Amino acid sequence: MDTVALAVTDGMLHFELSLAYEVFGADLTAAGIVDHWYRLVVCGPGQVRAGRFRVEPDHGLDHLPRADTVIVPGWVDVDVAPPADLVDAVRAAHDAGARVASLCTGAFVLAAAGLLDGKRATTHWAHARDLATRYPRVQVDPDVLYVDNGRVLTSAGKAAAMDLCLHLVRLDHGSSVANAVARRLVVPPHRDGGQAQFVTTPVPAPDHHPLADLFPWVMQRLDHPLTVEDLARQARMSSRNLGRHFRSVTGTTPLQWLLTQRIRHAQELLETSDDSIDTIAAATGMGTATTLRRHFNRTVGVPPDTYRRTFRSRTRPGPDGSGPPHPRPAG
């Protein structure tokens, strides 16, 4: 897997593009980390723009089939179909035997090329539903950092691109080299959990749908042991009718939506309070710390304590709101 080609086009996300360039384009032989490293080339249809930057490719897109690995960064406007020449070139590279990996919304290119049909894949959580809707043959998993299908790989958004790039290095050069690359870039060689821990799950905006009054009522009672019957009674409809409206408005069932809101509230409390796990379990209607930990770990991908250490502020102001900050316990 010596030659890595970055497939670029206008509108590419410069963060993912630069990240891949840094991982695969650095001369690690000079640093004594490896005896040989990748040969990185940039392929595109002439000069392209990535954000506010201009990129001058080394070769045209027709050079992609000569690469061992093709990296497809994401781009900004996913509402527009990927450029046909890029899609065709990526498909041709795969047909020629190249390993193809997408970063963030680059998954839309792989899906358009048919490379994700019948396969599990991921993308940035904010675009996962769009990917699944547009390409129903793709098994979209919005909760993971990356998916490895062998010769076809996809990553979630932004920093998850680094996770996938390090995974490719680990496959090609082993864990010790991947760890050395991670240390050089001052990033963790492996992150626990998936992108579920970064996903926001807001309540649908108020509207004229039949559940508009129910949502705020539930959010004020998350510490109560609510049932589907309770929700149906409040909404003045049968449980079956409630389920139908929930599926239409939220895309899920009443119980799954309720669990999601409880987990999200637990995330907020873990981020903003010093409350114990038992207290948070009670405040979110989970009952016990054991129940909260089980559902939280399954949904978010990491235990509540790990989530708190990762996402809460490490400092806070003194008691009077001024002066030097005091350490905040990770609890």
Side-chain angles (χ1 to χ4, degrees):
M1 297 295 178
D2 290 333
T3 302
V4 174
L6 296 181
V8 301
T9 189
D10 277 332
M12 283 285 176
L13 296 168
H14 64 274
F15 179 83
E16 289 81 350
L17 177 63
S18 301
L19 183 151
Y21 196 97
E22 182 65 25
V23 172
F24 299 106
D27 184 7
L28 297 189
T29 57
I33 296 177
V34 292
D35 295 329
H36 67 280
W37 196 238
Y38 303 97
R39 184 175 71 89
L40 180 69
V41 296
V42 179
C43 301
Q47 188 183 80
V48 301
R49 182 182 292 276
R52 299 178 63 183
F53 303 96
R54 294 186 182 276
V55 179
E56 192 70 47
D58 304 304
H59 304 281
L61 289 172
D62 58 354
H63 191 83
L64 288 183
R66 304 181 188 180
D68 298 297
T69 299
V70 173
I71 306 291
V72 184
W75 77 97
V76 176
D77 194 358
V78 296
D79 293 329
V80 177
D85 56 348
L86 176 63
V87 172
D88 292 342
V90 168
R91 185 189 298 113
H94 180 266
D95 291 344
R99 178 177 62 182
V100 180
S102 65
L103 309 180
C104 193
T105 52
F108 284 79
V109 175
L110 273 59
L115 303 187
L116 300 181
D117 287 353
K119 292 184 175 67
R120 185 165 157 263
T122 194
T123 188
H124 192 293
W125 60 265
H127 302 290
R129 179 172 292 186
D130 291 337
L131 181 64
T133 301
R134 195 175 306 174
Y135 302 100
R137 298 183 65 183
V138 181
Q139 301 168 16
V140 180
D141 187 342
D143 296 336
V144 296
L145 295 176
Y146 60 85
V147 175
D148 183 349
N149 287 301
R151 287 180 51 229
V152 179
L153 305 92
T154 54
S155 88
K158 299 301 178 183
M162 177 64 77
D163 295 290
L164 178 54
C165 288
L166 289 175
H167 174 67
L168 292 173
V169 172
R170 191 176 301 111
L171 290 174
D172 298 340
H173 294 275
S175 295
S176 61
V177 172
N179 292 345
V181 174
R183 284 194 295 271
R184 176 179 171 274
L185 297 174
V186 200
V187 297
H190 175 76
R191 289 194 292 166
D192 293 328
Q195 67 170 333
Q197 58 191 303
F198 305 98
V199 175
T200 57
T201 53
V203 175
D207 206 341
H208 298 297
H209 59 74
L211 304 181
D213 294 332
L214 179 64
F215 291 138
W217 181 86
V218 172
M219 297 304 292
Q220 295 172 7
R221 293 165 175 79
L222 288 178
D223 57 334
H224 290 53
L226 298 173
T227 65
V228 173
E229 290 71 23
D230 293 330
L231 272 59
R233 189 179 305 111
Q234 178 64 25
R236 296 183 177 84
M237 61 180 66
S238 68
S239 296
R240 177 176 296 183
N241 200 25
L242 178 77
R244 182 172 61 81
H245 284 297
F246 253 92
R247 179 67 67 178
S248 174
V249 175
T250 71
T252 189
T253 66
L255 283 181
Q256 185 57 51
W257 179 85
L258 180 58
L259 175 61
T260 299
Q261 303 313 314
R262 294 191 194 281
I263 294 296
R264 181 54 190 150
H265 187 37
Q267 289 176 296
E268 293 173 351
L269 294 174
L270 289 166
E271 293 172 17
T272 60
S273 78
D274 296 325
D275 293 345
S276 68
I277 302 301
D278 286 294
T279 300
I280 293 176
T284 57
M286 295 288 190
T288 67
T290 300
T291 301
L292 172 60
R293 286 190 172 96
R294 182 175 71 253
H295 286 295
F296 196 96
N297 201 359
R298 185 176 61 191
T299 302
V300 181
V302 293
D305 309 273
T306 301
Y307 182 90
R308 169 171 268 170
R309 286 193 297 269
T310 301
F311 286 93
R312 74 182 302 170
S313 172
R314 304 300 296 180
T315 59
R316 59 182 175 184
D320 61 352
S322 62
H326 301 296
R328 189 173 195 173

mmCIF file of all heavy atoms in Angstrom, residues 72-100:
data_model
loop_
_atom_site.group_PDB
_atom_site.id
_atom_site.type_symbol
_atom_site.label_atom_id
_atom_site.label_comp_id
_atom_site.label_asym_id
_atom_site.label_seq_id
_atom_site.Cartn_x
_atom_site.Cartn_y
_atom_site.Cartn_z
ATOM 1 N N VAL A 72 -10.900 9.876 -0.155
ATOM 2 C CA VAL A 72 -11.875 10.851 -0.654
ATOM 3 C C VAL A 72 -12.328 11.724 0.507
ATOM 4 O O VAL A 72 -13.124 11.288 1.346
ATOM 5 C CB VAL A 72 -13.096 10.153 -1.286
ATOM 6 C CG1 VAL A 72 -14.041 11.197 -1.885
ATOM 7 C CG2 VAL A 72 -12.654 9.150 -2.347
ATOM 8 N N PRO A 73 -11.802 12.953 0.631
ATOM 9 C CA PRO A 73 -12.270 13.859 1.686
ATOM 10 C C PRO A 73 -13.719 14.260 1.453
ATOM 11 O O PRO A 73 -14.267 14.069 0.354
ATOM 12 C CB PRO A 73 -11.335 15.069 1.560
ATOM 13 C CG PRO A 73 -10.156 14.567 0.774
ATOM 14 C CD PRO A 73 -10.717 13.533 -0.156
ATOM 15 N N GLY A 74 -14.326 14.834 2.473
ATOM 16 C CA GLY A 74 -15.699 15.301 2.323
ATOM 17 C C GLY A 74 -15.738 16.646 1.631
ATOM 18 O O GLY A 74 -14.717 17.273 1.383
ATOM 19 N N TRP A 75 -16.955 17.103 1.310
ATOM 20 C CA TRP A 75 -17.100 18.444 0.777
ATOM 21 C C TRP A 75 -18.349 19.075 1.371
ATOM 22 O O TRP A 75 -19.162 18.417 1.996
ATOM 23 C CB TRP A 75 -17.111 18.440 -0.748
ATOM 24 C CG TRP A 75 -18.363 18.005 -1.419
ATOM 25 C CD1 TRP A 75 -19.352 18.787 -1.917
ATOM 26 C CD2 TRP A 75 -18.757 16.653 -1.673
ATOM 27 N NE1 TRP A 75 -20.348 18.011 -2.448
ATOM 28 C CE2 TRP A 75 -20.007 16.700 -2.322
ATOM 29 C CE3 TRP A 75 -18.176 15.408 -1.421
ATOM 30 C CZ2 TRP A 75 -20.687 15.551 -2.710
ATOM 31 C CZ3 TRP A 75 -18.854 14.267 -1.800
ATOM 32 C CH2 TRP A 75 -20.082 14.344 -2.443
ATOM 33 N N VAL A 76 -18.446 20.380 1.180
ATOM 34 C CA VAL A 76 -19.415 21.184 1.920
ATOM 35 C C VAL A 76 -20.855 20.908 1.524
ATOM 36 O O VAL A 76 -21.707 20.623 2.366
ATOM 37 C CB VAL A 76 -19.098 22.690 1.747
ATOM 38 C CG1 VAL A 76 -20.166 23.540 2.445
ATOM 39 C CG2 VAL A 76 -17.720 23.017 2.287
ATOM 40 N N ASP A 77 -21.163 20.968 0.247
ATOM 41 C CA ASP A 77 -22.552 20.958 -0.206
ATOM 42 C C ASP A 77 -23.007 19.546 -0.543
ATOM 43 O O ASP A 77 -22.980 19.120 -1.709
ATOM 44 C CB ASP A 77 -22.703 21.874 -1.421
ATOM 45 C CG ASP A 77 -24.157 22.178 -1.738
ATOM 46 O OD1 ASP A 77 -25.042 21.646 -1.026
ATOM 47 O OD2 ASP A 77 -24.412 22.960 -2.678
ATOM 48 N N VAL A 78 -23.453 18.798 0.469
ATOM 49 C CA VAL A 78 -23.888 17.419 0.233
ATOM 50 C C VAL A 78 -25.270 17.355 -0.414
ATOM 51 O O VAL A 78 -25.712 16.278 -0.811
ATOM 52 C CB VAL A 78 -23.894 16.611 1.551
ATOM 53 C CG1 VAL A 78 -22.499 16.486 2.113
ATOM 54 C CG2 VAL A 78 -24.842 17.239 2.565
ATOM 55 N N ASP A 79 -25.959 18.493 -0.522
ATOM 56 C CA ASP A 79 -27.260 18.504 -1.196
ATOM 57 C C ASP A 79 -27.110 18.393 -2.711
ATOM 58 O O ASP A 79 -28.079 18.114 -3.416
ATOM 59 C CB ASP A 79 -28.024 19.783 -0.848
ATOM 60 C CG ASP A 79 -28.417 19.841 0.616
ATOM 61 O OD1 ASP A 79 -28.640 18.768 1.200
ATOM 62 O OD2 ASP A 79 -28.485 20.951 1.174
ATOM 63 N N VAL A 80 -25.899 18.644 -3.187
ATOM 64 C CA VAL A 80 -25.617 18.542 -4.613
ATOM 65 C C VAL A 80 -24.970 17.188 -4.890
ATOM 66 O O VAL A 80 -24.120 16.727 -4.122
ATOM 67 C CB VAL A 80 -24.679 19.674 -5.069
ATOM 68 C CG1 VAL A 80 -24.325 19.524 -6.540
ATOM 69 C CG2 VAL A 80 -25.334 21.026 -4.813
ATOM 70 N N ALA A 81 -25.361 16.537 -5.960
ATOM 71 C CA ALA A 81 -24.787 15.239 -6.318
ATOM 72 C C ALA A 81 -23.285 15.369 -6.536
ATOM 73 O O ALA A 81 -22.812 16.375 -7.076
ATOM 74 C CB ALA A 81 -25.452 14.699 -7.578
ATOM 75 N N PRO A 82 -22.489 14.387 -6.118
ATOM 76 C CA PRO A 82 -21.038 14.439 -6.321
ATOM 77 C C PRO A 82 -20.707 14.562 -7.801
ATOM 78 O O PRO A 82 -21.441 14.027 -8.653
ATOM 79 C CB PRO A 82 -20.549 13.104 -5.747
ATOM 80 C CG PRO A 82 -21.636 12.631 -4.851
ATOM 81 C CD PRO A 82 -22.916 13.147 -5.442
ATOM 82 N N PRO A 83 -19.618 15.237 -8.156
ATOM 83 C CA PRO A 83 -19.238 15.370 -9.564
ATOM 84 C C PRO A 83 -19.088 14.005 -10.229
ATOM 85 O O PRO A 83 -18.462 13.095 -9.671
ATOM 86 C CB PRO A 83 -17.898 16.101 -9.499
ATOM 87 C CG PRO A 83 -17.922 16.816 -8.189
ATOM 88 C CD PRO A 83 -18.688 15.937 -7.254
ATOM 89 N N ALA A 84 -19.653 13.858 -11.403
ATOM 90 C CA ALA A 84 -19.650 12.569 -12.089
ATOM 91 C C ALA A 84 -18.244 12.086 -12.390
ATOM 92 O O ALA A 84 -17.956 10.881 -12.289
ATOM 93 C CB ALA A 84 -20.462 12.670 -13.383
ATOM 94 N N ASP A 85 -17.325 13.014 -12.745
ATOM 95 C CA ASP A 85 -15.970 12.577 -13.065
ATOM 96 C C ASP A 85 -15.251 12.034 -11.836
ATOM 97 O O ASP A 85 -14.475 11.075 -11.924
ATOM 98 C CB ASP A 85 -15.167 13.715 -13.704
ATOM 99 C CG ASP A 85 -15.117 14.972 -12.847
ATOM 100 O OD1 ASP A 85 -15.882 15.068 -11.856
ATOM 101 O OD2 ASP A 85 -14.316 15.876 -13.162
ATOM 102 N N LEU A 86 -15.546 12.604 -10.670
ATOM 103 C CA LEU A 86 -14.955 12.097 -9.431
ATOM 104 C C LEU A 86 -15.518 10.723 -9.088
ATOM 105 O O LEU A 86 -14.772 9.803 -8.737
ATOM 106 C CB LEU A 86 -15.227 13.081 -8.291
ATOM 107 C CG LEU A 86 -14.763 12.655 -6.898
ATOM 108 C CD1 LEU A 86 -13.245 12.490 -6.859
ATOM 109 C CD2 LEU A 86 -15.214 13.666 -5.838
ATOM 110 N N VAL A 87 -16.827 10.586 -9.199
ATOM 111 C CA VAL A 87 -17.479 9.302 -8.908
ATOM 112 C C VAL A 87 -16.935 8.211 -9.827
ATOM 113 O O VAL A 87 -16.588 7.106 -9.390
ATOM 114 C CB VAL A 87 -19.007 9.421 -9.063
ATOM 115 C CG1 VAL A 87 -19.669 8.051 -8.951
ATOM 116 C CG2 VAL A 87 -19.574 10.372 -8.010
ATOM 117 N N ASP A 88 -16.833 8.512 -11.127
ATOM 118 C CA ASP A 88 -16.341 7.526 -12.087
ATOM 119 C C ASP A 88 -14.890 7.144 -11.801
ATOM 120 O O ASP A 88 -14.523 5.962 -11.898
ATOM 121 C CB ASP A 88 -16.450 8.072 -13.513
ATOM 122 C CG ASP A 88 -17.894 8.226 -13.979
ATOM 123 O OD1 ASP A 88 -18.786 7.604 -13.353
ATOM 124 O OD2 ASP A 88 -18.130 8.970 -14.942
ATOM 125 N N ALA A 89 -14.071 8.132 -11.427
ATOM 126 C CA ALA A 89 -12.658 7.860 -11.170
ATOM 127 C C ALA A 89 -12.484 7.019 -9.916
ATOM 128 O O ALA A 89 -11.625 6.123 -9.875
ATOM 129 C CB ALA A 89 -11.896 9.179 -11.043
ATOM 130 N N VAL A 90 -13.282 7.276 -8.895
ATOM 131 C CA VAL A 90 -13.195 6.493 -7.660
ATOM 132 C C VAL A 90 -13.644 5.063 -7.919
ATOM 133 O O VAL A 90 -13.030 4.102 -7.437
ATOM 134 C CB VAL A 90 -14.046 7.153 -6.547
ATOM 135 C CG1 VAL A 90 -14.201 6.220 -5.358
ATOM 136 C CG2 VAL A 90 -13.407 8.467 -6.114
ATOM 137 N N ARG A 91 -14.708 4.897 -8.700
ATOM 138 C CA ARG A 91 -15.170 3.553 -9.042
ATOM 139 C C ARG A 91 -14.102 2.808 -9.851
ATOM 140 O O ARG A 91 -13.841 1.622 -9.615
ATOM 141 C CB ARG A 91 -16.469 3.631 -9.847
ATOM 142 C CG ARG A 91 -17.067 2.261 -10.134
ATOM 143 C CD ARG A 91 -18.229 2.340 -11.116
ATOM 144 N NE ARG A 91 -19.335 3.154 -10.594
ATOM 145 C CZ ARG A 91 -19.708 4.308 -11.108
ATOM 146 N NH1 ARG A 91 -19.040 4.812 -12.162
ATOM 147 N NH2 ARG A 91 -20.724 4.985 -10.604
ATOM 148 N N ALA A 92 -13.476 3.507 -10.788
ATOM 149 C CA ALA A 92 -12.434 2.876 -11.598
ATOM 150 C C ALA A 92 -11.247 2.456 -10.744
ATOM 151 O O ALA A 92 -10.644 1.395 -10.970
ATOM 152 C CB ALA A 92 -11.983 3.841 -12.702
ATOM 153 N N ALA A 93 -10.908 3.272 -9.755
ATOM 154 C CA ALA A 93 -9.795 2.927 -8.859
ATOM 155 C C ALA A 93 -10.125 1.672 -8.069
ATOM 156 O O ALA A 93 -9.272 0.785 -7.902
ATOM 157 C CB ALA A 93 -9.502 4.098 -7.929
ATOM 158 N N HIS A 94 -11.344 1.601 -7.569
ATOM 159 C CA HIS A 94 -11.761 0.407 -6.824
ATOM 160 C C HIS A 94 -11.749 -0.822 -7.727
ATOM 161 O O HIS A 94 -11.274 -1.896 -7.330
ATOM 162 C CB HIS A 94 -13.149 0.627 -6.236
ATOM 163 C CG HIS A 94 -13.668 -0.541 -5.464
ATOM 164 N ND1 HIS A 94 -14.479 -1.505 -6.054
ATOM 165 C CD2 HIS A 94 -13.492 -0.936 -4.178
ATOM 166 C CE1 HIS A 94 -14.776 -2.424 -5.148
ATOM 167 N NE2 HIS A 94 -14.199 -2.107 -4.003
ATOM 168 N N ASP A 95 -12.245 -0.678 -8.954
ATOM 169 C CA ASP A 95 -12.262 -1.798 -9.889
ATOM 170 C C ASP A 95 -10.846 -2.258 -10.232
ATOM 171 O O ASP A 95 -10.624 -3.440 -10.541
ATOM 172 C CB ASP A 95 -13.002 -1.406 -11.172
ATOM 173 C CG ASP A 95 -14.495 -1.214 -10.955
ATOM 174 O OD1 ASP A 95 -14.996 -1.666 -9.905
ATOM 175 O OD2 ASP A 95 -15.148 -0.594 -11.825
ATOM 176 N N ALA A 96 -9.892 -1.330 -10.165
ATOM 177 C CA ALA A 96 -8.507 -1.665 -10.462
ATOM 178 C C ALA A 96 -7.787 -2.297 -9.271
ATOM 179 O O ALA A 96 -6.616 -2.664 -9.385
ATOM 180 C CB ALA A 96 -7.753 -0.420 -10.930
ATOM 181 N N GLY A 97 -8.480 -2.385 -8.138
ATOM 182 C CA GLY A 97 -7.899 -3.039 -6.973
ATOM 183 C C GLY A 97 -7.488 -2.127 -5.852
ATOM 184 O O GLY A 97 -6.926 -2.588 -4.839
ATOM 185 N N ALA A 98 -7.742 -0.830 -5.971
ATOM 186 C CA ALA A 98 -7.340 0.111 -4.923
ATOM 187 C C ALA A 98 -8.231 -0.028 -3.692
ATOM 188 O O ALA A 98 -9.408 -0.373 -3.791
ATOM 189 C CB ALA A 98 -7.402 1.544 -5.439
ATOM 190 N N ARG A 99 -7.658 0.232 -2.555
ATOM 191 C CA ARG A 99 -8.421 0.380 -1.317
ATOM 192 C C ARG A 99 -8.955 1.812 -1.297
ATOM 193 O O ARG A 99 -8.197 2.759 -1.520
ATOM 194 C CB ARG A 99 -7.506 0.118 -0.121
ATOM 195 C CG ARG A 99 -8.149 0.274 1.239
ATOM 196 C CD ARG A 99 -7.148 -0.077 2.348
ATOM 197 N NE ARG A 99 -5.985 0.791 2.352
ATOM 198 C CZ ARG A 99 -4.949 0.662 3.205
ATOM 199 N NH1 ARG A 99 -4.943 -0.319 4.089
ATOM 200 N NH2 ARG A 99 -3.922 1.490 3.142
ATOM 201 N N VAL A 100 -10.245 1.970 -1.039
ATOM 202 C CA VAL A 100 -10.874 3.288 -1.104
ATOM 203 C C VAL A 100 -11.430 3.652 0.265
ATOM 204 O O VAL A 100 -12.173 2.869 0.875
ATOM 205 C CB VAL A 100 -11.999 3.316 -2.157
ATOM 206 C CG1 VAL A 100 -12.637 4.701 -2.207
ATOM 207 C CG2 VAL A 100 -11.451 2.928 -3.530
#
